[in-house]
Every structure is written in C-alpha cells, then in structure tokens.
Amino acid sequence: MKRKYAKIAMALAAAVTISTPGAAIPGNTGVVMAGELAEEFTEIDSAADLISAIQTGIGNYRLTADLTGNRGLNVPANSNITIDLNGHKMCAHWNLFQSGTSLHIIDSSTKQTGTMSSWSSRLFYIGSNVNLTIDGGNYICENSNTD
C-alpha cells in the first residue's frame, strides 16, 4: 500500500508545479502576481460559462461568483488555460488527459480564500505530457475514499 502512494506522489511531483502566491513561476512569461494581474481575464459567473470557455482551449478566466454544482471538466488537447479563483469557490474535478494540455490555477484574492473542492477523491486526473501549475488557493477533496 505504501508503494502505491509513493508512486502516486512521485507522479504528481513530476506533473504539478506548486508555487508560493505571487512568486515567479519558472518557464512562464508575464507572471500573474496576487493583487497585480498583468494579463487580461474574461469574467466567468456560471458553471455553463466556464465549461464553454474551457472548450475553446485557450484563455485567461476569472471567477466573479461561486460556481455551484458538481462538474467534471474535460480540458481539450493542446489547451493553454488560466483560471483565477479570485476568492471564489467551485466544485469540480479536472480531466487533464489530453497531450499538450496546460492548466494554471491562481487565486488573486488578497486573503487567498479561493477554494476548489471535489466530490470525488481527486481534484485532478492527470495524463502524460500535461502541465498543471497551482499558484494559491485552497484545494479540498470531499470524499475520503482512497480506493
């Protein structure tokens, strides 16, 4: 059992970059810093808008409201998407199976109160050749089942 979790931890360490809010993120240009957003963001206030935005495969999106409902979000191949929690809450699990996918999640709120939760035991399903960067916010899995 310990080996299973060690393998999972190593796989996540290889696939996920977690940085301190406001810190430089290696490999990124135009770093978005908490409180100082250098890039333009499209405002999202509903789960339907977020799903439509993600399907475009590219863009910067900022939540302007809490998003309710359980959602499985499928990110298309070769996507480059940034989601700013902006102090809001959302419940979802992200399917990052497609090659070339890049997802950057930030929380630009001063108090870092943005929260992403999942009803499953995982927030992110990560395939190969995928880049996931988490820069701020809170992440909770509601289901403690680890099977």
Side-chain angles (χ1 to χ4, degrees):
M1 204 62 158
K2 288 183 182 179
R3 287 184 188 171
K4 177 182 172 183
Y5 292 117
K7 287 180 183 178
I8 293 168
M10 287 188 296
L12 283 175
V16 177
T17 304
I18 299 175
S19 62
T20 305
I25 301 166
N28 285 6
T29 58
V31 173
V32 177
M33 302 176 95
E36 287 183 40
L37 299 178
E39 300 177 42
E40 295 209 13
F41 283 73
T42 301
E43 294 184 345
I44 299 290
D45 63 2
S46 72
D49 287 348
L50 180 61
I51 291 167
S52 294
I54 289 169
Q55 293 311 304
T56 68
I58 191 163
N60 302 316
Y61 304 100
R62 177 178 299 126
L63 302 185
T64 58
D66 293 346
L67 304 186
T68 59
N70 298 328
R71 301 278 184 247
L73 301 172
N74 298 312
V75 181
N78 302 311
S79 295
N80 187 3
I81 297 171
T82 297
I83 303 292
D84 178 2
L85 296 172
N86 191 30
H88 293 284
K89 298 174 184 171
M90 68 178 293
C91 183
H93 68 265
W94 295 82
N95 297 315
L96 306 170
F97 295 128
Q98 303 295 325
S99 181
T101 298
S102 179
L103 177 63
H104 183 191
I105 300 176
I106 66 171
D107 182 8
S108 65
S109 68
T110 306
K111 294 184 180 182
Q112 293 290 292
T113 54
T115 301
M116 186 177 297
S117 63
S118 175
W119 69 96
S120 74
S121 59
R122 297 167 191 87
L123 282 165
F124 304 98
Y125 293 87
I126 302 172
S128 61
N129 195 24
V130 170
N131 182 30
L132 169 63
T133 304
I134 298 173
D135 189 18
N138 303 285
Y139 301 86
I140 303 166
C141 288
E142 302 291 339
N143 182 347
S144 60
N145 181 5
T146 57
D147 292 337

